[in-house]
Amino acid sequence: GAGVSQSPRYKVAKRGQDVALRCDPISGHVSLFWYQQALGQGPEFLTYFQNEAQLDKSGLPSDRFFAERPEGSVSTLKIQRTQQEDSAVYLCASSLRGMAAADTQYFGPGTRLTVL
Amino acid sequence: DQQVKQNSPSLSVQEGRISILNCDYTNSMFDYFLWYKKYPAEGPTFLISISSIKDKNEDGRFTVFLNKSAKHLSLHIVPSQPGDSAVYFCAASAPNYGGSQGNLIFGKGTKLSVKP
């Protein structure tokens, strides 16, 4: 079956531009996570949705980052006024239930954002 | 301050031999540990996990060992195959960490190369 998909796969933005990154989770998966992976680092948690509710946004690095999942399926991560330090791979993951780490998270291929 | 540490950035092993990847953690509240495998340009793929109530979990060629007193876990791959060449991430989770129960704390990864 279809896995988690993300688009675009690569995005180049000029500093100050706004970007929107899309995640299509596995159909029927309740939980959706966004992670940021800087070069040479492991993924770092950004935010978590259970259906359409954003239950945890403690990892968002600044108020320039905004995520939504209005219908409990597709999610969009928006970064306003991009800065060079925002350059990273943005990973989306979904899980069937997601209320515990034992519920496997399935990751998409990521969007590589480069801010010039 | 890194709560999950993978101190070896890389490991090279001969095909057929054992690969041992190590991971240390600092947060005693972590109660679930996972290993993810990542190929270039792909998202991480779940490999194996272990609950803190166990000290060993085995799945085919992959075994994870947990030493709670030392706050250390390891992944053993026996026998190693060239297709195992990838970056391996150790991850941990704690109940209600950061407000949600599913977000994972990753190490920086270890790049495993299995030579034919």
Side-chain angles (χ1 to χ4, degrees):
Chain A
V4 178
S5 61
Q6 293 186 245
S7 60
R9 292 293 311 276
Y10 303 91
K11 177 69 179 176
V12 178
K14 292 184 179 179
R15 188 161 55 94
Q17 280 185 328
D18 297 349
V19 298
L21 312 179
R22 177 187 169 109
C23 172
D24 285 80
I26 294 173
S27 178
H29 276 198
V30 167
S31 293
L32 186 146
F33 301 81
W34 283 98
Y35 292 85
Q36 179 191 59
Q37 185 178 13
L39 191 63
Q41 305 293 316
E44 291 193 4
F45 170 78
L46 294 177
T47 187
Y48 161 67
F49 290 86
Q50 185 180 5
N51 296 307
E52 70 278 4
Q54 188 175 21
L55 298 186
D56 185 357
K57 52 183 180 179
S58 61
L60 296 176
S62 78
D63 57 8
R64 296 186 296 104
F65 286 71
F66 172 75
E68 60 183 5
R69 193 186 185 199
E71 296 177 0
S73 178
V74 171
S75 177
T76 304
L77 176 67
K78 297 179 180 177
I79 309 174
Q80 297 176 325
R81 305 181 304 282
T82 53
Q83 304 293 316
Q84 284 187 324
E85 61 263 27
D86 299 335
S87 295
V89 175
Y90 290 85
L91 293 163
C92 175
S94 72
S95 65
L96 186 59
R97 293 175 300 274
M99 288 308 293
D103 196 20
T104 302
Q105 292 184 28
Y106 297 88
F107 282 81
T111 295
R112 180 178 294 279
L113 172 66
T114 304
V115 181
L116 303 176
Chain B
D1 186 29
Q2 276 236 299
Q3 297 192 64
V4 177
K5 300 177 184 179
Q6 294 178 257
N7 291 320
S8 298
S10 63
L11 175 68
S12 183
V13 170
Q14 205 67 33
E15 181 180 7
R17 307 294 289 268
I18 185 171
S19 296
I20 300 176
L21 297 101
N22 293 303
C23 178
D24 298 290
Y25 62 95
T26 58
N27 190 338
S28 58
M29 297 301 293
F30 288 147
D31 67 347
Y32 202 77
F33 303 89
L34 309 91
W35 286 92
Y36 275 81
K37 174 180 178 179
K38 186 181 183 305
Y39 293 117
E42 295 183 11
T45 302
F46 170 75
L47 190 58
I48 192 169
S49 61
I50 188 167
S51 164
S52 61
I53 62 173
K54 296 186 175 182
D55 55 17
K56 176 182 175 181
N57 188 28
E58 191 172 351
D59 183 3
R61 297 186 297 115
F62 303 91
T63 303
V64 56
F65 296 92
L66 176 62
N67 182 334
K68 283 180 62 180
S69 61
K71 294 191 177 69
H72 177 84
L73 64 154
S74 61
L75 174 68
H76 292 212
I77 306 173
V78 182
S80 301
Q81 300 174 353
D84 296 330
S85 297
V87 177
Y88 289 79
F89 290 99
C90 172
S93 181
N96 295 315
Y97 185 86
S100 66
Q101 296 190 36
N103 58 317
L104 302 174
I105 313 301
F106 284 86
K108 291 186 178 183
T110 296
K111 184 176 182 179
L112 173 66
S113 299
V114 180
K115 302 192 181 304

